Amino acid sequence: MHILTTIPEINKFLQEKLLLNQSVGFVPTMGALHDGHISLIKQALSENQLVICSIFVNPTQFNNPEDLKLYPRTPESDFKKLEEAGCNAIFYPTIEEMYPEFEVLNHFNLGELETLMEGSFRPNHFRGVVTIVKKLFDIVKPTNAYFGLKDFQQVAVIKKMVADLKLPVTIVACPTLQEKDGLAMSSRNIRLDEKERCESVKIYEALNWIKQNKANYLPEELQKEALKKITTPLLNPEYLEIVNPVTLQPIKRWNEVDKPVVCVATWCGKVRLIDNMEL
Ligand code: AMP
């Protein structure tokens, strides 16, 4: 497995491979890898001749400096997991490599997608996401890029950018891997203490409860009840919305869309967790 840290290094690596016309699968991550990330690598390996994973904690997508500082960084164990999974190369750049100017001047307009749900609680988050993903796509030039549906809104935002800019890459949305009790796997989970970890299962339970009660109540009724279930001394929700999966606008009636999705973000102690479920 190659570990490449600069753009000239990855260019050289790719030049040979692209001459052979190999398809490139790309999995962008911020590291602290868990089985959810590895499932994306495995899917990419099954659909491409070459798989590249990037590890870069992207400062421009953090609206909270404390969150950026505390974001787990475990490069050695990440490299080991990627090697074991069969990943061909890692792109592990420095901040200076990705942001020589640091200040980002040209922002992509995401319309309402950047002001709803995650966008409204994390101002400028998606601007940072599309900025880094576009830079990474320009460098890696992937045939297919793999993103987890755990970050449901992120997938919608990336698809929008790719469609709008007509980028020559296929976005593949992959299912969320969960812990045994239903908590969505996340790099941030290792920051939960024992009590918070126990309490966090209520997030999955609330999503599941909505799914099971869909036939008997209106979306708004279930939204209100579910919010109560995840409002506890340790859980402090920011939003729980039942939305149209394309526009991400809240729905009023179930028959408005084929496959509504419930999306949630909540603090669990000092850790912010998100999850979602197709209903
Ligand atoms: P991150 O390192 O958190 O930026 O995540 C990198 C990629 O892995 C993103 O596309 C995430 O949506 C995806 N991902 C994160 N957690 C999971 C999970 N539990 N299951 C599947 N994919 C995930």
Side-chain angles (χ1 to χ4, degrees):
M1 187 180 63
H2 301 255
I3 300 175
L4 311 158
T5 56
T6 65
I7 296 170
E9 265 173 27
I10 193 160
N11 281 345
K12 188 161 170 276
F13 172 79
L14 282 168
Q15 219 166 18
E16 292 164 24
K17 309 289 176 185
L18 294 178
L19 281 178
L20 299 172
N21 240 340
Q22 292 192 319
S23 57
V24 178
F26 178 45
V27 182
T29 79
M30 297 204 298
L33 301 183
H34 49 67
D35 287 352
H37 296 113
I38 299 303
S39 72
L40 267 55
I41 300 286
K42 293 207 167 133
Q43 185 164 343
L45 279 164
S46 73
E47 295 171 1
N48 300 274
Q49 285 152 309
L50 188 71
V51 172
I52 299 176
C53 174
S54 64
I55 298 178
F56 181 66
V57 182
N58 174 35
T60 65
Q61 74 187 67
F62 284 81
N63 53 312
N64 176 344
E66 184 74 356
D67 191 24
L68 174 61
K69 200 172 102 199
L70 294 177
Y71 200 84
R73 289 158 172 91
T74 56
E76 295 308 325
S77 102
D78 292 349
F79 296 167
K80 193 160 167 270
K81 286 179 188 171
L82 289 170
E83 173 109 65
E84 279 167 12
C87 184
N88 303 99
I90 302 174
F91 184 46
Y92 182 54
T94 60
I95 292 182
E96 294 73 30
E97 191 71 12
M98 295 310 289
Y99 292 104
E101 304 286 332
F102 196 79
E103 200 184 3
V104 181
L105 296 175
N106 295 308
H107 291 292
F108 191 78
N109 181 356
L110 292 159
E112 285 205 311
L113 285 186
E114 72 179 320
T115 55
L116 297 162
M117 297 196 293
E118 283 300 282
S120 80
F121 285 91
R122 303 187 69 189
N124 296 329
H125 167 66
F126 288 121
R127 287 186 167 192
V129 170
V130 293
T131 301
I132 194 65
V133 171
K134 175 70 169 62
K135 278 175 191 259
L136 288 167
F137 282 180
D138 286 345
I139 296 166
V140 176
K141 302 174 194 68
T143 321
N144 301 299
Y146 296 79
F147 291 86
L149 280 167
K150 154 142 186 298
D151 298 280
F152 190 82
Q153 191 168 358
Q154 173 169 275
V155 173
V157 162
I158 303 286
K159 282 186 173 170
K160 178 107 182 152
M161 172 187 73
V162 166
D164 200 25
L165 300 179
K166 298 202 183 303
L167 301 183
V169 53
T170 302
I171 302 302
V172 185
C174 308
T176 303
L177 250 73
Q178 299 162 307
E179 302 292 350
K180 281 203 185 81
D181 61 6
L183 176 68
M185 288 184 184
S186 163
S187 306
R188 290 184 169 90
N189 291 354
I190 49 179
R191 291 181 46 214
L192 298 169
D193 69 23
E194 211 176 311
K195 275 190 185 159
E196 291 162 353
R197 177 63 189 82
C198 280
E199 193 77 348
S200 64
V201 72
K202 290 190 176 156
I203 303 166
Y204 172 71
E205 287 170 357
L207 300 183
N208 222 7
W209 178 84
I210 293 181
K211 191 167 186 159
Q212 275 154 15
N213 287 282
K214 196 183 145 190
N216 306 320
Y217 299 93
L218 289 170
E220 201 185 332
E221 291 169 330
L222 291 184
Q223 180 212 20
K224 280 193 180 138
E225 277 312 302
L227 266 172
K228 282 188 204 156
K229 289 179 188 290
I230 55 165
T231 305
T232 72
L234 284 178
L235 290 177
N236 182 16
E238 284 186 341
Y239 65 83
L240 181 146
E241 302 273 7
I242 300 172
V243 300
N244 174 317
V246 179
T247 64
L248 305 185
Q249 295 284 352
I251 58 164
K252 294 222 174 307
R253 309 215 161 259
W254 295 113
N255 62 7
E256 273 175 42
V257 282
D258 255 1
K259 290 178 180 167
V261 176
V262 52
C263 298
V264 62
T266 179
W267 289 91
C268 183
K270 286 191 169 165
V271 184
R272 189 174 184 277
L273 300 174
I274 62 169
D275 199 2
N276 64 81
M277 190 180 281
E278 188 179 285
L279 299 171

